[in-house]
Amino acid sequence: MTQLPLDRFKVLDLTRIRSGPTCVKQFADWGADVIKIEPPEDAAGYGNRDSSDFQNLHRNKRSLTLDLKTPEGQEVLGRLIDTADVLVENFRPGVKERLGLDWDTLHARNPRLVLGSISGFGQTGPYAHRPGFDQVAQGMGGLMSITGMPGQGPVRVGIPVADLSAGLFVAMGILMALLDRERTGEGRWIHSSLLQAQIAMLDFQAVRWLIDGVVPPQAGNDHPTAVPMGVYPTSDGMMNIAVNGARMWKDFCDVIDRPDLVDHPDYCGPRERQANRAQLNAILYEITKQWTAHDLTEALLATGIPCGPINAMDQVFADPQVNHLPIVAEVDHPSRGRQRLLGQAFQVEGLSPVMRSATPDCGQHTDEVLSELGYSADDIATLKSRGIA
């Protein structure tokens, strides 16, 4: 099998729900030995194993069942920590202290260990002990106030963007810490929160407030600052058109046969177009409705103007460019057969993440992992009989 960039690292996965598994998935896909540690009875809160979501999140891992509330379970985990490179958790702050998984304790036991932590609101501060959830972070982090049609009221985004971005940010931080360890010989504690990650994802909308003092409103399908850029009707459906800059504006007006709009005092520059967005869009809607989506797309692309269809999910994965990209990965599941999963979002020339294994059954690798730690068959049987493993 081809060697993968992260195959020299052992990662202990104590995460659940989405933000933590999103983080760990990056390491599992690129070759790390990821050991997913779960309660012996697959306790509630760890997800429905049969769901497509769970199957996608937890591929390429081994599953070890362990009762971390028992001294014996903690001893097994301690042995794993001694040889691990990374431990990732998304407990509420305070829980890991009770389990002996706080940074000071872990760093004293294995100074080379990198700890990745994800919480709802941060490891310290007035909200540190609050339970966190993606939609709550979307609201508190400002995203719901800028999403939706003007005057509609707050609208959540259709994906768990706070969970996903927190997981990706912590994965990036862990990789940075592993690089730093090559220089210092010591691990570091990397932590983020749903709230912090969500605010970071606001990007230019956040700095409109921080620098310009502007509270961004809801803009619906229109771009907040560029005009015309948004959703436009055609004779057979809706499409996105993105016109940005003087050259594109002129070419767009030529394509729709309205050269008079180019230098019109209400639309001649970006500020004028933004100030008069509603009346300009009213004109453009009547024009674009006379085109088919295909014909308008071809005409705009011929002049280098970004545009495209608004696809439902089945249309996304039927698109020829999507099929060209390696975004869909396949894995053989022992009972489900061949499964299509969501692959990685970037490519490394000469390497590909390998779907080595489907999501494991709960505890599928318990015997294997415990044997690697030096436990005998009798030891393993005793731990299982007592509900510890």
Side-chain angles (χ1 to χ4, degrees):
M1 181 179 292
T2 303
Q3 285 190 309
L4 292 173
L6 303 183
D7 61 9
R8 64 189 182 278
F9 298 117
K10 179 186 288 185
V11 178
L12 305 183
D13 179 9
L14 286 166
T15 71
R16 57 181 180 169
I17 313 299
R18 183 174 313 282
S19 61
T22 296
C23 171
V24 175
K25 184 174 70 170
Q26 314 314 311
F27 295 89
D29 282 3
W30 290 104
D33 177 17
V34 174
I35 300 173
K36 178 173 171 56
I37 299 167
E38 309 179 72
E41 296 182 1
D42 196 15
Y46 279 73
N48 174 11
R49 273 193 134 72
D50 292 329
S51 70
S52 56
D53 186 24
F54 196 97
Q55 290 293 313
N56 184 65
L57 278 172
H58 298 288
R59 73 278 187 110
N60 289 334
K61 300 179 182 180
R62 297 193 287 168
S63 172
L64 165 70
T65 48
L66 206 57
D67 185 351
L68 298 180
K69 297 177 181 178
T70 65
E72 295 88 348
Q74 291 178 6
E75 169 59 25
V76 174
L77 180 59
R79 292 199 198 183
L80 283 167
I81 289 168
D82 289 341
T83 61
D85 297 286
V86 178
L87 186 150
V88 186
E89 57 85 18
N90 60 346
F91 298 121
R92 262 190 271 177
V95 173
K96 57 178 164 290
E97 282 79 6
R98 295 199 298 271
L99 294 173
L101 298 174
D102 57 282
W103 170 242
D104 290 339
T105 301
L106 290 173
H107 189 60
R109 177 155 193 156
N110 180 358
R112 290 179 56 79
L113 184 74
V114 174
L115 172 62
S117 299
I118 304 172
S119 61
F121 300 97
Q123 298 297 314
T124 58
Y127 301 161
H129 294 281
R130 288 188 182 185
F133 194 76
D134 177 85
Q135 186 161 337
V136 175
Q138 286 193 31
M140 294 178 68
L143 183 61
M144 292 175 67
S145 75
I146 56 175
T147 303
M149 305 305 290
Q152 180 179 3
V155 177
R156 70 179 290 274
V157 174
I159 60 170
V161 63
D163 277 336
L164 296 173
S165 54
L168 291 172
F169 284 142
V170 170
M172 183 168 60
I174 291 170
L175 290 169
M176 181 184 70
L178 289 171
L179 287 172
D180 186 59
R181 190 180 73 174
E182 294 180 359
R183 178 174 58 86
T184 66
E186 294 202 353
R188 292 189 182 274
W189 184 18
I190 306 298
H191 50 92
S192 185
S193 65
L194 305 190
L195 181 61
Q196 186 175 0
Q198 177 58 84
I199 294 171
M201 292 298 287
L202 294 177
D203 195 59
F204 80 99
Q205 293 280 45
V207 295
R208 290 176 73 189
W209 162 250
L210 293 174
I211 295 176
D212 303 328
V214 173
V215 177
Q218 291 171 304
N221 289 320
D222 292 321
H223 189 278
T225 59
V227 183
M229 190 179 295
V231 174
Y232 291 85
T234 68
S235 62
D236 55 356
M238 310 293 283
M239 65 178 289
N240 280 310
I241 299 173
V243 177
N244 191 25
R247 193 278 300 170
M248 283 191 189
W249 172 237
K250 180 181 182 304
D251 288 347
F252 177 70
C253 292
D254 287 342
V255 168
I256 63 172
D257 197 24
R258 287 297 303 269
D260 58 298
L261 296 176
V262 176
D263 296 318
H264 191 289
D266 289 342
Y267 316 126
C268 58
R271 291 182 181 177
E272 289 80 7
R273 290 195 292 277
Q274 186 170 9
N276 298 290
R277 182 201 301 268
Q279 66 190 47
L280 175 58
N281 274 340
I283 295 170
L284 297 181
Y285 292 160
E286 292 304 314
I287 296 170
T288 60
K289 282 194 295 188
Q290 299 172 30
W291 293 70
T292 66
H294 175 270
D295 288 348
L296 185 53
T297 297
E298 292 299 310
L300 292 175
L301 290 178
T303 64
I305 295 175
C307 60
I310 299 171
N311 290 330
M313 207 61 64
D314 57 339
Q315 295 170 312
V316 171
F317 291 99
D319 186 280
Q321 181 64 28
V322 174
N323 284 316
H324 173 76
L325 298 171
I327 192 61
V328 175
E330 295 188 344
V331 67
D332 288 316
H333 191 283
S335 61
R336 292 165 170 259
R338 196 73 168 165
Q339 284 193 135
R340 294 204 305 162
L341 304 175
L342 201 57
Q344 284 286 333
F346 65 92
Q347 294 162 249
V348 179
E349 287 300 315
L351 291 174
S352 297
V354 178
M355 292 297 116
R356 303 182 303 282
S357 59
T359 291
D361 291 336
C362 187
Q364 180 178 330
H365 303 95
T366 295
D367 290 11
E368 178 179 290
V369 174
L370 292 177
S371 295
E372 292 170 2
L373 293 174
Y375 287 88
S376 68
D378 288 342
D379 294 334
I380 296 170
T382 298
L383 290 171
K384 286 186 170 182
S385 68
R386 296 176 59 191
I388 296 166

